[in-house]
């Protein structure tokens, strides 16, 4: 209670000291100009040359990564290597559930290895070149391997669902899979 009274007394004294000086009171015209200054456009600082280099190289990397992301699966498919992965998965797992999971794991590991040089440049070298990271190579590689492992586990747990829908309803599987992915949009 005592601190509340002291706080109120402090507020009252500061307000009264401000009222004693008439020239400190803002006029109607001053408050309008202050409000227009506060709601007006904000000046954006000019980007540095280093920031523009980072931005431009990011655009180039985006294009390279997009093309790379289409090229690697296409090469695996059209060279027949994807069929070899499927055959290995069928030898290791006899039932369709395990074949799908093993294929996903093998495919993920192979694409991880193929993508490793580009990811190394994009996520490690580039970030260090622009002083955006101080992570060691070992920590970066450890994080990348953890990400691969989590992706394989989650994929193994859920990838079989679209195939089950395809098996149970060959004509409407796409509808059921689409409806099933709606909750994923809100994650």
């Amino acid at each position: 209670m005592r601190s509340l009274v002291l706080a109120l007394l402090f507020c009252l004294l500061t307000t009264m000291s401000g009222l004693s000086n008439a020239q400190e009171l803002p006029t109607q015209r001053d408050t309008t100009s202050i409000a227009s200054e506060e709601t007006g456009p904000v000046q954006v600082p000019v980007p540095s040359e280093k920031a523009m280099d980072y931005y431009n190289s990011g655009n180039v990397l985006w294009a390279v990564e997009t093309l790379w992301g289409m090229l690697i699966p296409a090469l695996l498919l059209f060279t027949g290597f994807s069929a070899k992965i499927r055959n290995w998965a069928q030898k290791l797992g006899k039932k369709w559930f395990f074949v799908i999971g093993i294929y996903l794991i093998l495919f993920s590991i192979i694409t991880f290895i193929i993508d490793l040089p580009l990811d190394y440049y994009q996520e490690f070298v580039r970030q260090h070149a622009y002083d955006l990271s101080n992570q060691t190579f070992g920590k970066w590689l450890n994080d990348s391997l953890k990400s691969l492992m989590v992706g394989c586990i989650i994929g193994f747990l859920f990838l079989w669902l679209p195939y089950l829908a395809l098996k149970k309803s060959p004509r409407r599987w796409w509808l059921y899979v689409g409806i099933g992915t709606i909750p994923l949009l809100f994650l």
Side-chain angles (χ1 to χ4, degrees):
M1 182 72 173
R2 183 176 171 194
S3 61
L4 179 64
V5 171
L6 288 174
L8 288 173
L9 184 62
F10 177 75
C11 289
L12 182 64
L13 289 175
T14 55
T15 308
M16 289 179 67
S17 68
L19 291 175
S20 65
N21 298 331
Q23 50 185 257
E24 290 182 18
L25 290 174
T27 62
Q28 177 65 27
R29 191 170 59 106
D30 291 339
T31 57
T32 306
S33 65
I34 291 171
S36 67
E37 288 174 8
E38 291 176 358
T39 59
V42 177
Q43 291 183 351
V44 177
V46 178
S48 67
E49 186 176 329
K50 191 174 186 179
M52 289 307 297
D53 287 343
Y54 183 79
Y55 172 75
N56 291 330
S57 66
N59 288 338
V60 171
L61 273 174
W62 174 83
V64 168
E65 191 175 39
T66 302
L67 290 172
W68 189 257
M70 289 186 275
L71 179 68
I72 296 303
L75 281 174
L76 292 175
L77 180 65
F78 295 126
T79 59
F81 193 69
S82 180
K84 289 180 183 179
I85 298 172
R86 180 201 60 211
N87 294 338
W88 293 338
Q90 285 176 339
K91 287 178 185 177
L92 292 173
K94 303 296 180 193
K95 299 192 181 226
W96 67 272
F97 173 80
F98 295 111
V99 171
I100 292 169
I102 292 170
Y103 178 88
L104 170 82
I105 291 171
L106 292 173
F107 183 83
S108 297
I109 291 171
I110 291 167
T111 56
F112 175 80
I113 292 169
I114 292 171
D115 290 341
L116 195 58
L118 182 61
D119 289 341
Y120 170 72
Y121 174 75
Q122 184 175 3
E123 298 171 6
F124 186 77
V125 173
R126 184 169 176 255
Q127 300 302 319
H128 282 82
Y130 290 98
D131 297 325
L132 297 174
S133 176
N134 61 357
Q135 188 178 36
T136 64
F137 175 74
K139 177 75 171 113
W140 173 82
L141 185 61
N142 189 27
D143 289 346
S144 296
L145 291 172
K146 284 180 188 175
S147 176
L148 173 67
M149 184 176 65
V150 168
C152 287
I153 290 170
I154 290 174
F156 191 88
L157 292 175
F158 293 105
L159 186 65
W160 62 274
L161 291 171
Y163 287 96
L164 179 66
L166 181 63
K167 185 177 181 180
K168 296 290 182 183
S169 178
R171 299 187 102 162
R172 292 192 187 94
W173 67 271
W174 56 271
L175 177 64
Y176 302 134
V177 171
I179 290 171
T181 57
I182 289 174
L184 298 177
L185 297 174
F186 300 106
L187 293 178

